[in-house]
Amino acid sequence: MLKAWRWYKHCLAAHPLKTQVLSSGIIWGLGDLAAQAVTRVTATKKNYVFHSEDECDLRINWRRVVTTSIFGIAFVGPIGHFWYEGLDRFLIFRLQYPPKSMRFVATKVALDEIIFGPMDLLVFFTYMGFALGKSVTQVKEELKRDFLPALIVESGTWPIVQVINFRFVPVRYQLLYVNLFCFLDSCFLSWLEQQQDASWKQWFRSFFVDKVRRRGG
């Protein structure tokens, strides 16, 4: 483990972007394997009714693993690399916030939650839907069903994760730190998708819609 960490640090120092991209792809692929295991175990325990032969096949869906890995390589790796590096430079050199200060960390967490978090979820759900052969209508319906509950639940956990990240983790390792938590997050997203149109999702949507209507008068 120590040798692997030293090798990773060496690669990161020599080729930061490439290392971030490849490590993101590997971690997201492993995360999807874990997510599939969670989905299968949950489905088996609940005696889940499968709607197609593909769903009832309990073997690993390697197509989905590759698809998720590509998301890590094509989106999370490059975007995350420039996002965390750029956000750090913006706050230090443009806004002149002292690094690791309370204002620095709080602003970084807020911007990450407002900009990167929702964008990451939106791209993930949209990309996975189209990559797995779903139609535009199906992707829209799944976004309506899953995006808001996922955003609300993750908004209660990721700020805590990111406070530790932005306060104690050097910026060159922040994407790796995030990806390791995304390994767990992918299990949650898989479980969320497997819940289909559960009553708690309907409550989230109705609560949000009612709130927006009240604000609109």
Side-chain angles (χ1 to χ4, degrees), residues 153-168:
V153 173
E154 293 197 350
S155 295
T157 55
W158 273 104
I160 300 171
V161 172
Q162 294 292 48
V163 165
I164 298 172
N165 190 20
F166 298 145
R167 178 64 180 84
F168 299 107

Side-chain angles (χ1 to χ4, degrees), residues 94-138:
R94 292 294 298 275
L95 299 185
Q96 297 185 342
Y97 287 177
K100 309 301 181 183
S101 66
M102 184 178 294
R103 182 170 58 172
F104 175 88
V105 173
T107 303
K108 210 170 182 182
V109 170
L111 290 174
D112 192 70
E113 285 297 303
I114 294 171
I115 300 173
F116 189 76
M119 179 180 66
D120 181 57
L121 277 178
L122 181 62
V123 174
F124 176 78
F125 284 130
T126 304
Y127 162 76
M128 289 299 291
F130 286 128
L132 295 176
K134 296 177 181 177
S135 66
V136 174
T137 302
Q138 288 175 313

Side-chain angles (χ1 to χ4, degrees), residues 42-208:
T42 304
T44 302
K45 287 183 177 180
K46 291 175 59 179
N47 294 320
Y48 182 73
V49 178
F50 297 103
H51 300 290
S52 69
E53 292 183 3
D54 291 336
E55 286 183 315
C56 67
D57 186 354
L58 298 181
R59 292 175 298 180
I60 295 172
N61 184 342
W62 289 108
R63 178 189 175 189
R64 207 182 88 170
V65 174
V66 172
T67 299
T68 308
S69 294
I70 292 173
F71 176 75
I73 290 171
F75 180 80
V76 177
I79 299 300
H81 171 78
F82 290 113
W83 169 253
Y84 291 116
E85 294 278 353
L87 190 57
D88 210 66
R89 288 195 297 268
F90 175 74
L91 293 179
I92 293 173
F93 298 113
R94 292 294 298 275
L95 299 185
Q96 297 185 342
Y97 287 177
K100 309 301 181 183
S101 66
M102 184 178 294
R103 182 170 58 172
F104 175 88
V105 173
T107 303
K108 210 170 182 182
V109 170
L111 290 174
D112 192 70
E113 285 297 303
I114 294 171
I115 300 173
F116 189 76
M119 179 180 66
D120 181 57
L121 277 178
L122 181 62
V123 174
F124 176 78
F125 284 130
T126 304
Y127 162 76
M128 289 299 291
F130 286 128
L132 295 176
K134 296 177 181 177
S135 66
V136 174
T137 302
Q138 288 175 313
V139 171
K140 286 182 178 179
E141 287 302 313
E142 290 188 356
L143 278 173
K144 290 179 183 179
R145 185 189 72 195
D146 295 335
F147 177 77
L148 186 59
L151 183 63
I152 293 173
V153 173
E154 293 197 350
S155 295
T157 55
W158 273 104
I160 300 171
V161 172
Q162 294 292 48
V163 165
I164 298 172
N165 190 20
F166 298 145
R167 178 64 180 84
F168 299 107
V169 180
V171 66
R172 63 183 176 276
Y173 300 126
Q174 286 178 1
L175 180 59
L176 175 64
Y177 173 91
V178 167
N179 276 331
L180 292 175
F181 276 94
C182 284
F183 180 92
L184 302 175
D185 192 42
S186 64
C187 295
F188 163 71
L189 291 176
S190 180
W191 173 84
L192 181 79
E193 183 182 13
Q194 200 266 329
Q195 293 296 297
Q196 299 294 321
D197 206 23
S199 57
W200 64 273
K201 287 186 182 180
Q202 297 178 28
W203 181 87
F204 271 123
R205 288 199 302 273
S206 62
F207 177 80
F208 179 77

